[in-house]
Amino acid sequence: MHTTGKDRQQPVAPLRLGAVSEANPHPILESLACITCPARKSDICGGLDDEEIRDLAANSQRIHLNVGETLVWDGDGAQYSYVITRGALRASKTSDDGRRQILDFLFSGQFVGIPSDAAYHFDVEALIDSEVCRFDKRKLEQLMTKYPNVEKGYRTGAARQLEDAYEHAYALGRRTAMERVAAFLLDLRASSCTKTATGVLKLPMTRSDIADFLGLTLETVSRAFSRLKSLGVIRLGSAQEVEIRDPERLKALAGSASI
Amino acid sequence: MHTTGKDRQQPVAPLRLGAVSEANPHPILESLACITCPARKSDICGGLDDEEIRDLAANSQRIHLNVGETLVWDGDGAQYSYVITRGALRASKTSDDGRRQILDFLFSGQFVGIPSDAAYHFDVEALIDSEVCRFDKRKLEQLMTKYPNVEKGYRTGAARQLEDAYEHAYALGRRTAMERVAAFLLDLRASSCTKTATGVLKLPMTRSDIADFLGLTLETVSRAFSRLKSLGVIRLGSAQEVEIRDPERLKALAGSASI
DNA sequence: CGCCATGTTGAAAATATTCAAAGACCGTGG
DNA sequence: CCACGGTCTTTGAATATTTTCAACATGGCG
């Protein structure tokens, strides 16, 4: 049985919701920020024109998260929803005996906050310094009524997350360790994860995070990386810098897609 | 690597969408059926009063599925959504090399059809003779606009499915075989799965189905059942009839919850 | 420069899978 | 009504994959 070491180590000064470092309403002058926001085309904001987006801006707050800070705690009242505008976060479930399953890595443009009841049932923490846009759930519902496109975006976002979760279930249940790691790297490449100009991936997560996402141990993940390296499929600048040298080969190693 | 035997065996005469055995619009006289429907309190129908439900009935068709019949094919255009009104179905993804992951077992009251794009990315098949209520997606959207409670129910349903998928991911990634089987039986007991008057579970799925749901092989599942039996935690009438004799013990064997 | 986190690698151990065979159950047809 | 055939299930033994335990390497940061 695998118990992570990493997850027991709390962020230096974990801030509970409502006590987040900064939570400033978008000043009217700053509503321009929405126009140039990396999440401008996200599910929630994408359906609105620049005029309407000011309305959204007035009903949201921008929040900065330092590395390790927690945005959402398991059990927290689901008062807010969030759109990631910069950085990288992880959503995870941890059992009381310390086993952790990372449900998703979240990058800019992604949406957090589709609770079925009054509370969240997972944690969300910042892997690196990040920024999110916060919406009061009540106000978001009003916005959804006012702007059908927001409602539709919410629905699309929920559906996509569900499909991602299904794909993840396929990987966890039916793929080998090697296939999981290969598929993970391909997914990362297709995501909003940071890349250098030459396309080198800058992983914001540790081997332990990857292991807890893929249902493996960090050693198994490390061995898979080493194997990929020795096969010449990837190149490792540092442990966090991964260059995919042979995408086709990587696809083959990821095994047949789930159709 | 595990490849199921079961899944290669197509239903005798698989019917493609639109060619389903019966698809009759709810006759006006039959709209009463909605009132007494087992899915009357489901997410979609639950928010409406008996007057409004007639409107829903007029916009839906009742469909009968025989054992093994397929309701949704991976790749199918997502033209319809469904509410299960009777029976048991399985939603699954199968890769082209034959590996199958069952995503969910669906019982009466549950909702199928939250596509992020134009197509479904999983199959849905009947485990036993079943009945579903079919909604044209377009009409469902109109109904959602007309009745905010339907829209809210849809959203709640989507959120619940997402949370189920997350819980499933935790099980697949971090639980042992024994824990998965124990937790599965507890989940079934809490579900709408058929039970006798004395509370004995009537499993509509095979060991192979359970294995493909839990990311195991059928042999491993069978061994876990045998173990539970020898521990006196369950009693097996037949392979499909499971009596949970010691729920507390079963909970302990399911391991600590994911919080 | 050195410490502490993170990452890599090796060997032993555990868990689950694979392969194999036999038993139970169900529906069908004689 | 019972025998038959096929499918599903159970159980055993060998094998494979992944985990666990342990030691060492690396590297970022004070």
Coordinates of all heavy atoms in Angstrom, one line a residue, chain A residues 58-140:
Chain A
A58 N -17.1 42.6 -13.0 CA -17.6 43.2 -11.8 C -18.1 42.2 -10.8 O -18.3 42.6 -9.6 CB -18.8 44.2 -12.2
N59 N -18.4 41.0 -11.2 CA -18.9 40.0 -10.3 C -17.9 38.9 -10.0 O -18.2 37.8 -9.5 CB -20.1 39.3 -10.9 CG -21.4 40.2 -10.8 OD1 -21.9 40.4 -9.7 ND2 -21.8 40.8 -11.9
S60 N -16.6 39.3 -10.1 CA -15.6 38.3 -9.8 C -14.4 39.0 -9.1 O -14.3 40.2 -9.2 CB -15.1 37.6 -11.1 OG -14.4 38.6 -11.9
Q61 N -13.6 38.1 -8.4 CA -12.4 38.7 -7.8 C -11.2 37.9 -8.3 O -11.3 36.7 -8.5 CB -12.5 38.5 -6.3 CG -13.6 39.3 -5.6 CD -14.9 38.5 -5.6 OE1 -14.9 37.3 -5.3 NE2 -16.0 39.1 -5.9
R62 N -10.1 38.6 -8.3 CA -8.9 37.9 -8.7 C -8.2 37.5 -7.5 O -8.0 38.3 -6.6 CB -8.2 38.8 -9.7 CG -6.8 39.2 -9.4 CD -6.2 40.0 -10.5 NE -7.0 40.0 -11.7 CZ -6.7 40.6 -12.8 NH1 -5.5 41.2 -12.9 NH2 -7.5 40.5 -13.8
I63 N -7.6 36.3 -7.5 CA -7.0 35.8 -6.3 C -5.6 35.3 -6.7 O -5.5 34.5 -7.7 CB -7.8 34.7 -5.7 CG1 -9.1 35.2 -5.1 CG2 -7.0 33.9 -4.6 CD1 -10.0 34.2 -4.4
H64 N -4.6 35.7 -5.9 CA -3.3 35.1 -6.1 C -3.0 34.0 -5.2 O -3.3 34.1 -4.0 CB -2.2 36.3 -6.0 CG -0.9 35.8 -6.2 ND1 -0.3 35.7 -7.5 CD2 0.1 35.3 -5.3 CE1 0.9 35.2 -7.4 NE2 1.2 35.0 -6.1
L65 N -2.4 33.0 -5.7 CA -2.0 31.8 -4.8 C -0.5 31.6 -4.9 O 0.1 31.5 -6.0 CB -2.7 30.6 -5.3 CG -4.2 30.5 -5.1 CD1 -4.8 29.4 -6.0 CD2 -4.6 30.3 -3.7
N66 N 0.2 31.5 -3.8 CA 1.6 31.2 -3.8 C 1.7 29.6 -3.8 O 0.8 28.9 -3.5 CB 2.2 31.7 -2.5 CG 2.3 33.2 -2.4 OD1 2.6 33.9 -3.4 ND2 1.9 33.8 -1.3
V67 N 2.9 29.2 -4.2 CA 3.2 27.7 -4.2 C 2.7 27.1 -2.9 O 3.0 27.6 -1.9 CB 4.7 27.4 -4.3 CG1 4.9 26.0 -4.8 CG2 5.4 28.4 -5.1
G68 N 2.0 26.0 -3.1 CA 1.6 25.3 -1.9 C 0.3 25.8 -1.2 O -0.3 25.1 -0.4
E69 N -0.2 26.9 -1.6 CA -1.4 27.4 -1.0 C -2.6 26.7 -1.5 O -2.6 26.2 -2.6 CB -1.6 28.9 -1.3 CG -1.0 29.9 -0.2 CD -1.4 31.3 -0.5 OE1 -1.0 31.9 -1.5 OE2 -2.2 31.9 0.3
T70 N -3.5 26.5 -0.6 CA -4.7 25.8 -0.9 C -5.9 26.7 -1.2 O -6.2 27.6 -0.5 CB -5.1 24.9 0.3 OG1 -4.0 24.0 0.6 CG2 -6.4 24.1 0.0
L71 N -6.5 26.4 -2.4 CA -7.6 27.2 -2.8 C -8.9 26.7 -2.2 O -9.8 27.4 -1.8 CB -7.7 27.3 -4.3 CG -8.8 28.0 -5.0 CD1 -8.7 29.5 -4.7 CD2 -8.9 27.8 -6.5
V72 N -9.0 25.4 -2.3 CA -10.3 24.7 -1.9 C -9.9 23.5 -0.9 O -9.0 22.8 -1.2 CB -11.0 24.1 -3.1 CG1 -12.1 23.2 -2.6 CG2 -11.6 25.2 -3.9
W73 N -10.6 23.5 0.2 CA -10.4 22.4 1.1 C -11.5 21.4 1.0 O -12.7 21.8 0.9 CB -10.3 22.9 2.6 CG -9.1 23.7 2.8 CD1 -9.0 25.1 2.5 CD2 -7.9 23.4 3.4 NE1 -7.8 25.5 2.9 CE2 -7.0 24.5 3.5 CE3 -7.4 22.2 4.0 CZ2 -5.8 24.5 4.0 CZ3 -6.1 22.2 4.5 CH2 -5.3 23.3 4.5
D74 N -11.2 20.1 1.1 CA -12.2 19.1 1.1 C -13.1 19.3 2.3 O -12.7 19.5 3.4 CB -11.5 17.7 1.3 CG -12.4 16.5 1.1 OD1 -13.6 16.7 1.3 OD2 -11.9 15.5 0.8
G75 N -14.4 19.4 2.0 CA -15.4 19.7 3.1 C -15.8 21.1 3.1 O -16.8 21.5 3.8
D76 N -15.0 22.0 2.5 CA -15.4 23.4 2.4 C -16.8 23.6 1.8 O -17.1 22.9 0.9 CB -14.4 24.2 1.5 CG -13.3 24.9 2.3 OD1 -13.4 24.8 3.6 OD2 -12.4 25.5 1.7
G77 N -17.5 24.6 2.3 CA -18.7 25.0 1.6 C -18.4 25.4 0.2 O -17.4 26.1 0.0
A78 N -19.2 25.0 -0.7 CA -18.9 25.3 -2.1 C -19.5 26.7 -2.5 O -20.4 26.8 -3.3 CB -19.4 24.2 -3.0
Q79 N -19.0 27.7 -1.9 CA -19.6 29.0 -2.0 C -19.1 29.7 -3.4 O -19.8 30.5 -4.0 CB -19.2 29.9 -0.9 CG -19.9 31.2 -0.8 CD -19.4 32.1 0.3 OE1 -18.6 31.7 1.2 NE2 -19.8 33.4 0.3
Y80 N -17.9 29.3 -3.7 CA -17.3 29.9 -4.9 C -17.0 28.9 -6.0 O -16.8 27.8 -5.8 CB -16.0 30.6 -4.5 CG -16.2 31.7 -3.5 CD1 -15.8 31.5 -2.2 CD2 -16.7 32.9 -3.8 CE1 -15.9 32.4 -1.2 CE2 -16.9 33.9 -2.8 CZ -16.5 33.7 -1.5 OH -16.6 34.6 -0.6
S81 N -16.9 29.4 -7.2 CA -16.4 28.7 -8.4 C -15.2 29.5 -8.9 O -15.1 30.7 -8.6 CB -17.4 28.5 -9.5 OG -18.4 27.7 -9.0
Y82 N -14.3 28.8 -9.6 CA -13.1 29.5 -10.0 C -12.7 29.2 -11.5 O -13.0 28.1 -12.0 CB -11.9 29.0 -9.2 CG -12.2 29.1 -7.7 CD1 -12.8 28.1 -7.0 CD2 -11.8 30.3 -6.9 CE1 -13.0 28.2 -5.6 CE2 -12.1 30.4 -5.6 CZ -12.7 29.3 -4.9 OH -12.9 29.4 -3.6
V83 N -12.1 30.2 -12.1 CA -11.5 30.0 -13.4 C -10.0 30.2 -13.2 O -9.6 31.3 -12.7 CB -12.0 30.9 -14.5 CG1 -11.3 30.8 -15.8 CG2 -13.5 30.6 -14.7
I84 N -9.2 29.3 -13.6 CA -7.7 29.5 -13.5 C -7.3 30.4 -14.6 O -7.5 30.2 -15.8 CB -6.9 28.1 -13.7 CG1 -7.7 27.0 -13.0 CG2 -5.5 28.3 -13.2 CD1 -7.7 27.0 -11.5
T85 N -6.5 31.5 -14.2 CA -6.1 32.4 -15.2 C -4.5 32.3 -15.4 O -4.0 32.8 -16.4 CB -6.4 33.9 -14.8 OG1 -5.9 34.1 -13.5 CG2 -7.9 34.0 -14.8
R86 N -3.8 31.8 -14.5 CA -2.4 31.6 -14.6 C -1.9 30.6 -13.6 O -2.4 30.5 -12.5 CB -1.7 33.0 -14.3 CG -0.2 33.0 -14.7 CD 0.3 34.4 -14.6 NE 0.2 35.0 -13.3 CZ 1.0 34.7 -12.2 NH1 1.9 33.8 -12.4 NH2 0.8 35.2 -11.0
G87 N -0.9 29.8 -14.0 CA -0.3 28.9 -13.1 C -0.7 27.4 -13.3 O -1.1 27.0 -14.4
A88 N -0.6 26.7 -12.2 CA -1.0 25.2 -12.3 C -1.4 24.8 -10.9 O -0.8 25.1 -9.9 CB 0.2 24.4 -12.7
L89 N -2.5 24.1 -10.8 CA -3.0 23.6 -9.6 C -3.3 22.1 -9.6 O -3.3 21.5 -10.7 CB -4.3 24.3 -9.2 CG -4.2 25.8 -8.9 CD1 -4.2 26.6 -10.2 CD2 -5.4 26.2 -8.0
R90 N -3.5 21.5 -8.5 CA -3.9 20.1 -8.5 C -5.1 19.9 -7.6 O -5.2 20.5 -6.6 CB -2.7 19.2 -8.0 CG -2.4 19.4 -6.6 CD -1.5 18.3 -5.9 NE -1.2 18.7 -4.6 CZ 0.0 19.0 -4.1 NH1 1.1 18.8 -4.9 NH2 0.2 19.4 -2.9
A91 N -6.0 19.1 -8.1 CA -7.2 18.7 -7.4 C -7.0 17.3 -6.9 O -6.6 16.4 -7.7 CB -8.5 18.8 -8.2
S92 N -7.2 17.0 -5.6 CA -6.9 15.7 -5.1 C -7.9 15.3 -3.9 O -8.5 16.1 -3.3 CB -5.5 15.6 -4.6 OG -5.3 16.6 -3.5
K93 N -7.9 14.0 -3.7 CA -8.7 13.4 -2.6 C -7.7 12.7 -1.8 O -6.9 11.9 -2.3 CB -9.7 12.4 -3.1 CG -11.0 12.9 -3.6 CD -11.8 11.8 -4.2 CE -13.0 11.5 -3.3 NZ -14.0 12.4 -3.3
T94 N -7.7 12.9 -0.5 CA -6.8 12.2 0.4 C -7.6 11.4 1.5 O -8.5 12.0 2.1 CB -5.8 13.1 1.1 OG1 -5.1 13.9 0.1 CG2 -4.8 12.4 1.9
S95 N -7.3 10.2 1.7 CA -8.0 9.4 2.7 C -7.4 9.7 4.1 O -6.3 10.2 4.1 CB -8.0 7.9 2.4 OG -6.7 7.4 2.6
D96 N -8.1 9.3 5.1 CA -7.6 9.6 6.4 C -6.3 8.8 6.8 O -5.6 9.1 7.7 CB -8.6 9.5 7.5 CG -9.5 8.3 7.3 OD1 -9.0 7.3 6.7 OD2 -10.7 8.2 7.7
D97 N -6.0 7.7 6.0 CA -4.8 7.0 6.2 C -3.7 7.5 5.3 O -2.6 6.9 5.3 CB -5.0 5.5 6.1 CG -5.3 5.1 4.6 OD1 -5.4 6.0 3.8 OD2 -5.5 3.9 4.4
G98 N -3.9 8.6 4.6 CA -2.8 9.3 4.0 C -2.7 9.0 2.5 O -1.9 9.6 1.8
R99 N -3.5 8.0 2.0 CA -3.4 7.7 0.5 C -4.0 8.9 -0.2 O -5.1 9.4 0.1 CB -4.1 6.4 0.2 CG -3.3 5.2 0.6 CD -4.1 4.0 0.3 NE -5.0 3.6 1.3 CZ -5.9 2.5 1.2 NH1 -5.8 1.8 0.1 NH2 -6.7 2.2 2.2
R100 N -3.3 9.3 -1.3 CA -3.8 10.4 -2.1 C -4.0 10.0 -3.5 O -3.2 9.3 -4.1 CB -2.8 11.5 -2.0 CG -3.2 12.8 -2.7 CD -2.2 13.9 -2.6 NE -0.9 13.6 -3.3 CZ 0.0 14.4 -3.6 NH1 -0.1 15.7 -3.3 NH2 1.0 14.1 -4.3
Q101 N -5.1 10.5 -4.1 CA -5.3 10.4 -5.5 C -5.5 11.7 -6.1 O -6.4 12.5 -5.7 CB -6.6 9.5 -5.8 CG -6.9 9.4 -7.3 CD -5.8 8.6 -8.1 OE1 -5.3 7.6 -7.6 NE2 -5.5 9.2 -9.2
I102 N -4.6 12.1 -7.0 CA -4.8 13.4 -7.7 C -5.8 13.2 -8.8 O -5.7 12.2 -9.6 CB -3.5 13.9 -8.2 CG1 -2.6 14.3 -7.0 CG2 -3.7 15.1 -9.1 CD1 -1.3 14.9 -7.3
L103 N -6.8 14.0 -8.9 CA -7.9 13.9 -9.8 C -7.6 14.6 -11.1 O -8.0 14.1 -12.2 CB -9.2 14.4 -9.2 CG -9.6 13.8 -7.8 CD1 -10.7 14.6 -7.1 CD2 -9.9 12.3 -8.0
D104 N -7.0 15.7 -11.0 CA -6.7 16.5 -12.2 C -5.6 17.5 -11.9 O -5.5 18.0 -10.8 CB -8.0 17.2 -12.6 CG -8.0 17.5 -14.1 OD1 -7.0 17.1 -14.8 OD2 -9.0 18.1 -14.6
F105 N -4.9 17.8 -12.9 CA -4.0 19.0 -12.9 C -4.7 20.1 -13.7 O -5.2 19.9 -14.8 CB -2.6 18.6 -13.5 CG -1.8 17.7 -12.7 CD1 -1.5 16.4 -13.2 CD2 -1.3 18.0 -11.5 CE1 -0.8 15.5 -12.5 CE2 -0.6 17.1 -10.7 CZ -0.4 15.8 -11.2
L106 N -4.7 21.3 -13.1 CA -5.5 22.3 -13.6 C -4.6 23.5 -14.1 O -3.7 23.9 -13.4 CB -6.4 22.9 -12.6 CG -7.4 21.9 -12.0 CD1 -7.9 22.3 -10.6 CD2 -8.6 21.6 -13.0
F107 N -4.8 23.9 -15.4 CA -4.0 24.9 -16.0 C -4.9 26.1 -16.4 O -6.2 26.0 -16.3 CB -3.2 24.4 -17.2 CG -2.3 23.3 -16.8 CD1 -2.6 22.0 -17.1 CD2 -1.1 23.5 -16.1 CE1 -1.8 20.9 -16.8 CE2 -0.3 22.5 -15.8 CZ -0.6 21.2 -16.1
S108 N -4.3 27.1 -16.9 CA -5.1 28.3 -17.2 C -6.2 28.0 -18.2 O -6.0 27.3 -19.2 CB -4.2 29.4 -17.6 OG -4.0 29.4 -19.0
G109 N -7.4 28.6 -17.9 CA -8.5 28.4 -18.7 C -9.5 27.4 -18.1 O -10.7 27.4 -18.5
Q110 N -9.0 26.5 -17.2 CA -9.8 25.5 -16.7 C -10.7 26.0 -15.5 O -10.4 27.0 -14.9 CB -9.0 24.3 -16.2 CG -8.5 23.5 -17.4 CD -7.8 22.2 -17.0 OE1 -6.6 22.2 -16.8 NE2 -8.6 21.2 -16.9
F111 N -11.8 25.3 -15.3 CA -12.8 25.7 -14.4 C -12.9 24.8 -13.2 O -12.7 23.6 -13.3 CB -14.1 25.7 -15.2 CG -15.3 26.1 -14.4 CD1 -15.4 27.4 -13.9 CD2 -16.4 25.3 -14.2 CE1 -16.5 27.9 -13.2 CE2 -17.5 25.7 -13.5 CZ -17.5 27.0 -13.0
V112 N -13.0 25.3 -12.0 CA -13.1 24.6 -10.8 C -14.4 24.9 -10.1 O -14.7 26.1 -9.9 CB -12.0 24.9 -9.8 CG1 -12.2 24.0 -8.5 CG2 -10.6 24.6 -10.4
G113 N -15.2 23.9 -9.8 CA -16.4 24.2 -9.0 C -17.7 23.8 -9.6 O -18.5 24.6 -10.1
I114 N -17.9 22.5 -9.6 CA -19.1 21.9 -10.0 C -19.6 20.9 -9.0 O -19.5 19.7 -9.1 CB -18.9 21.1 -11.4 CG1 -18.3 22.1 -12.4 CG2 -20.1 20.5 -11.9 CD1 -18.0 21.6 -13.7
P115 N -20.0 21.5 -7.8 CA -20.4 20.7 -6.7 C -21.8 20.2 -6.8 O -22.7 20.9 -7.3 CB -20.3 21.7 -5.5 CG -20.6 23.0 -6.1 CD -20.3 22.9 -7.6
S116 N -22.0 19.0 -6.4 CA -23.4 18.4 -6.4 C -24.2 18.8 -5.2 O -25.4 18.8 -5.2 CB -23.3 16.9 -6.6 OG -22.9 16.3 -5.4
D117 N -23.4 19.1 -4.1 CA -24.1 19.5 -2.9 C -23.4 20.8 -2.4 O -22.7 21.5 -3.1 CB -24.2 18.4 -1.9 CG -22.8 17.8 -1.6 OD1 -21.8 18.5 -1.9 OD2 -22.7 16.7 -1.0
A118 N -23.6 21.0 -1.1 CA -23.1 22.2 -0.5 C -21.6 22.3 -0.3 O -21.1 23.4 0.0 CB -23.8 22.5 0.8
A119 N -20.9 21.2 -0.5 CA -19.5 21.2 -0.1 C -18.6 20.6 -1.3 O -19.1 19.8 -2.1 CB -19.3 20.4 1.1
Y120 N -17.4 21.0 -1.3 CA -16.4 20.4 -2.1 C -15.9 19.1 -1.5 O -15.8 19.0 -0.3 CB -15.2 21.3 -2.4 CG -15.5 22.4 -3.4 CD1 -15.6 23.7 -3.0 CD2 -15.8 22.1 -4.7 CE1 -15.9 24.7 -3.9 CE2 -16.1 23.1 -5.6 CZ -16.2 24.4 -5.2 OH -16.5 25.4 -6.1
H121 N -15.6 18.1 -2.4 CA -15.1 16.8 -1.8 C -13.7 16.5 -2.3 O -13.3 15.4 -2.5 CB -16.1 15.7 -2.2 CG -17.5 15.9 -1.7 ND1 -17.8 15.8 -0.4 CD2 -18.6 16.3 -2.3 CE1 -19.0 16.1 -0.2 NE2 -19.6 16.4 -1.3
F122 N -13.0 17.6 -2.5 CA -11.5 17.4 -2.9 C -10.8 18.7 -2.5 O -11.4 19.7 -2.2 CB -11.4 17.1 -4.4 CG -12.2 18.1 -5.2 CD1 -11.7 19.4 -5.5 CD2 -13.4 17.7 -5.8 CE1 -12.4 20.2 -6.3 CE2 -14.1 18.5 -6.6 CZ -13.6 19.8 -6.9
D123 N -9.5 18.6 -2.5 CA -8.7 19.8 -2.2 C -8.2 20.3 -3.5 O -8.1 19.6 -4.5 CB -7.4 19.4 -1.4 CG -7.7 18.8 -0.1 OD1 -8.5 19.4 0.7 OD2 -7.2 17.7 0.3
V124 N -7.9 21.6 -3.6 CA -7.2 22.2 -4.7 C -6.1 23.0 -4.2 O -6.3 24.0 -3.4 CB -8.2 23.1 -5.6 CG1 -7.4 23.6 -6.8 CG2 -9.4 22.2 -6.1
E125 N -4.9 22.7 -4.7 CA -3.7 23.4 -4.2 C -2.9 23.9 -5.4 O -2.9 23.4 -6.5 CB -2.8 22.5 -3.4 CG -3.4 22.0 -2.1 CD -2.9 20.6 -1.7 OE1 -3.4 19.6 -2.3 OE2 -2.1 20.5 -0.8
A126 N -2.1 25.0 -5.1 CA -1.3 25.6 -6.2 C 0.0 24.9 -6.3 O 0.7 24.7 -5.3 CB -1.1 27.1 -5.9
L127 N 0.4 24.4 -7.5 CA 1.7 23.7 -7.7 C 2.8 24.7 -7.8 O 3.9 24.5 -7.5 CB 1.6 22.8 -8.9 CG 0.7 21.6 -8.9 CD1 0.5 21.0 -10.2 CD2 1.3 20.6 -7.9
I128 N 2.4 25.9 -8.4 CA 3.3 27.0 -8.6 C 2.5 28.3 -8.3 O 1.3 28.2 -8.1 CB 3.9 27.1 -10.0 CG1 2.8 27.1 -11.0 CG2 4.9 25.9 -10.3 CD1 3.2 27.2 -12.5
D129 N 3.1 29.4 -8.2 CA 2.4 30.7 -8.1 C 1.3 30.7 -9.2 O 1.6 30.5 -10.3 CB 3.3 31.9 -8.2 CG 4.2 32.0 -6.9 OD1 4.1 31.1 -6.0 OD2 4.8 33.0 -6.7
S130 N 0.1 31.0 -8.8 CA -1.0 31.0 -9.7 C -2.0 32.1 -9.5 O -1.9 32.8 -8.4 CB -1.7 29.6 -9.6 OG -0.9 28.6 -9.8
E131 N -2.8 32.3 -10.4 CA -3.9 33.3 -10.3 C -5.2 32.7 -10.7 O -5.2 32.0 -11.7 CB -3.6 34.5 -11.1 CG -3.9 35.8 -10.4 CD -3.0 36.9 -10.8 OE1 -1.8 37.0 -10.3 OE2 -3.4 37.7 -11.7
V132 N -6.2 33.0 -10.0 CA -7.6 32.5 -10.4 C -8.6 33.6 -10.3 O -8.3 34.6 -9.6 CB -8.0 31.3 -9.4 CG1 -7.1 30.2 -9.4 CG2 -8.3 31.8 -8.0
C133 N -9.7 33.4 -11.0 CA -10.8 34.4 -11.0 C -11.9 33.7 -10.2 O -12.3 32.6 -10.5 CB -11.2 34.6 -12.4 SG -11.9 36.2 -12.6
R134 N -12.4 34.4 -9.1 CA -13.4 33.8 -8.3 C -14.8 34.3 -8.5 O -14.9 35.5 -8.6 CB -12.9 34.0 -6.8 CG -13.8 33.3 -5.8 CD -13.3 33.6 -4.4 NE -13.7 34.8 -3.9 CZ -13.4 35.3 -2.6 NH1 -12.6 34.6 -1.9 NH2 -13.8 36.4 -2.2
F135 N -15.7 33.4 -8.6 CA -17.1 33.8 -8.7 C -17.9 33.3 -7.6 O -17.8 32.1 -7.2 CB -17.7 33.2 -10.0 CG -17.0 33.7 -11.3 CD1 -16.0 33.0 -11.8 CD2 -17.4 34.9 -11.9 CE1 -15.3 33.4 -13.0 CE2 -16.8 35.3 -13.1 CZ -15.7 34.5 -13.6
D136 N -18.7 34.2 -7.0 CA -19.7 33.7 -6.0 C -20.7 32.9 -6.7 O -21.3 33.2 -7.8 CB -20.4 34.9 -5.3 CG -21.3 34.5 -4.2 OD1 -22.5 34.1 -4.5 OD2 -20.8 34.5 -3.1
K137 N -21.0 31.7 -6.2 CA -21.9 30.7 -6.9 C -23.2 31.3 -7.1 O -23.8 31.1 -8.2 CB -22.1 29.5 -6.0 CG -21.5 28.2 -6.6 CD -21.9 27.0 -5.9 CE -23.2 26.4 -6.4 NZ -23.8 25.5 -5.5
R138 N -23.7 32.1 -6.2 CA -25.0 32.8 -6.3 C -25.0 33.7 -7.5 O -25.9 33.7 -8.4 CB -25.3 33.6 -5.1 CG -26.7 33.5 -4.5 CD -26.7 34.2 -3.2 NE -26.5 33.2 -2.1 CZ -27.6 32.9 -1.3 NH1 -28.8 33.4 -1.6 NH2 -27.5 32.0 -0.4
K139 N -24.0 34.6 -7.6 CA -23.9 35.5 -8.7 C -23.7 34.8 -10.0 O -24.2 35.3 -11.0 CB -22.7 36.5 -8.4 CG -23.1 37.5 -7.3 CD -22.0 38.6 -7.2 CE -22.5 39.6 -6.1 NZ -21.3 40.5 -5.7
L140 N -22.9 33.7 -9.9 CA -22.7 33.0 -11.2 C -24.0 32.4 -11.7 O -24.2 32.5 -12.9 CB -21.7 31.8 -10.9 CG -21.2 31.1 -12.1 CD1 -20.5 32.0 -13.1 CD2 -20.3 29.9 -11.8

